[in-house]
């Protein structure tokens, strides 16, 4: 008897467009075993959305927890989950200046739940989006109105994932509502340039989550404004570089 997470991963790959042979090679199992999981099933393939949703599986563990933590950070920064439509749709706004960020967002959606991801072009930005019945299961922070006008609290299972993958979570936050840039300071006529991270968000709850994740990694920070967090010490910037780095 193979573990349920292996079966779920095989089904996720198959429903994402891979052939049975490709899935068999990926999970390193016999073709016939994987064929039985993917093709010879009494229930219709449309149930694949439930199979991909780790909250609806018995194990309740994400196949790729780092990808989930990253996607959660992106969602809390620049994401919006629309639940009023017939099928819920997760949308994350990405600047067209950062194609690498767009690709990373697309990949995270596919790793977590999405079978298909669309990129909708707008002037200056792109909406990376995916329709899926089970997005609300994975992002319980959704709700009417703006995020800074309602409480944003992580569920216990989300806190466990972020605790184990704080760097990926911070990467999502800084890739959405943050930046790494060269800060210039003039002292006695001499200009000094050093790298600095900034995270700006109107939600005190989301700001608190950013502070908490930084504390988990032992990275010093300070609030330079009510809605703005700064990481500027040389050792702190170097530590955050290992997890976040500049956008691409």
């Amino acid at each position: 008897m193979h573990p349920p997470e292996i079966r779920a991963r095989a089904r996720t790959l198959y429903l994402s467009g891979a052939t049975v042979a490709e899935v068999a090679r990926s999970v390193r199992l016999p073709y016939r075993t994987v064929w039985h999981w993917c093709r010879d099933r009494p229930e219709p393939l449309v149930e694949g959305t439930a199979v991909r949703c780790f909250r609806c599986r018995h194990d309740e563990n994400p196949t790729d927890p780092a990808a989930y933590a990253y996607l959660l950070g992106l969602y809390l920064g620049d994401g919006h989950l629309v639940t009023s439509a017939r099928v819920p749709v997760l949308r994350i706004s990405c600047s067209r200046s950062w194609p690498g960020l767009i690709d990373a967002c697309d990949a995270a959606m596919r790793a977590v739940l999405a079978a298909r991801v669309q990129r909708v072009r707008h002037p200056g930005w792109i909406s990376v989006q995916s329709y899926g019945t089970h997005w609300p299961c994975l992002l319980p922070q959704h709700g009417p109105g703006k995020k800074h006008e309602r409480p944003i609290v992580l569920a216990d299972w989300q806190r466990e994932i972020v605790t184990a993958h704080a760097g990926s979570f911070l990467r999502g936050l800084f890739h959405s509502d943050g930046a790494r840039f060269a800060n210039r300071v003039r002292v006695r006529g001499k200009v000094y340039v050093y790298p600095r991270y900034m995270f700006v968000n109107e939600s005190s709850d989301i700001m608190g989550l950013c502070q908490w994740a930084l504390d988990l990694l032992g990275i010093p920070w300070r609030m330079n404004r009510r809605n703005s967090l700064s990481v500027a010490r040389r050792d702190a910037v170097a530590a955050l570089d290992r997890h976040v780095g500049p956008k691409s």
Side-chain angles (χ1 to χ4, degrees), residues 23-221:
V23 175
R25 286 194 294 270
S26 178
V27 299
R28 298 182 179 179
L29 289 173
Y31 177 92
R32 190 64 187 178
T33 299
V34 175
W35 182 92
H36 176 72
W37 291 347
C38 298
R39 300 290 299 276
D40 187 21
R41 293 174 59 95
E43 65 270 20
L45 289 179
V46 71
E47 292 189 8
T49 53
V51 173
R52 288 193 298 272
C53 175
F54 64 85
R55 291 295 296 165
C56 294
R57 298 199 306 261
H58 294 303
D59 59 352
E60 296 188 354
N61 293 316
T63 303
D64 190 337
Y68 176 80
Y70 176 62
L71 185 63
L72 177 62
L74 289 177
Y75 164 72
L76 293 178
D78 283 330
H80 180 48
L81 179 56
V82 181
T83 58
S84 58
R86 184 176 64 87
V87 179
V89 55
L90 172 62
R91 296 190 176 106
I92 296 180
S93 303
C94 300
S95 171
R96 295 174 67 174
S97 301
W98 313 113
L101 168 58
I102 295 170
D103 290 341
C105 177
D106 184 310
M109 284 187 177
R110 294 178 190 273
V112 172
L113 180 72
R116 297 179 181 84
V117 177
Q118 299 84 36
R119 302 185 184 190
V120 181
R121 291 181 172 270
H122 302 274
W125 60 284
I126 287 180
S127 175
V128 182
Q129 64 182 43
S130 169
Y131 289 84
T133 304
H134 291 264
W135 280 121
C137 305
L138 304 183
L139 299 169
Q141 287 70 37
H142 72 275
K146 299 176 180 178
K147 295 191 191 79
H148 69 273
E149 296 175 347
R150 66 177 192 270
I152 300 294
V153 181
L154 296 187
D156 290 342
W157 58 269
Q158 290 178 302
R159 292 184 70 87
E160 291 180 7
I161 294 173
V162 172
T163 298
H165 301 276
S168 297
F169 178 66
L170 286 170
R171 184 167 174 258
L173 288 178
F174 278 94
H175 278 186
S176 55
D177 276 349
R180 183 189 190 278
F181 60 95
N183 193 47
R184 296 177 181 274
V185 178
R186 183 180 293 273
V187 179
R188 298 185 183 89
K190 187 175 181 179
V191 176
Y192 297 88
V193 181
Y194 62 92
R196 181 183 187 186
Y197 280 94
M198 297 284 291
F199 178 72
V200 180
N201 195 289
E202 291 296 328
S203 168
S204 59
D205 287 343
I206 295 175
M207 184 62 72
L209 290 173
C210 182
Q211 296 167 351
W212 168 61
L214 288 167
D215 288 342
L216 287 174
L217 297 177
I219 298 176
W221 53 270

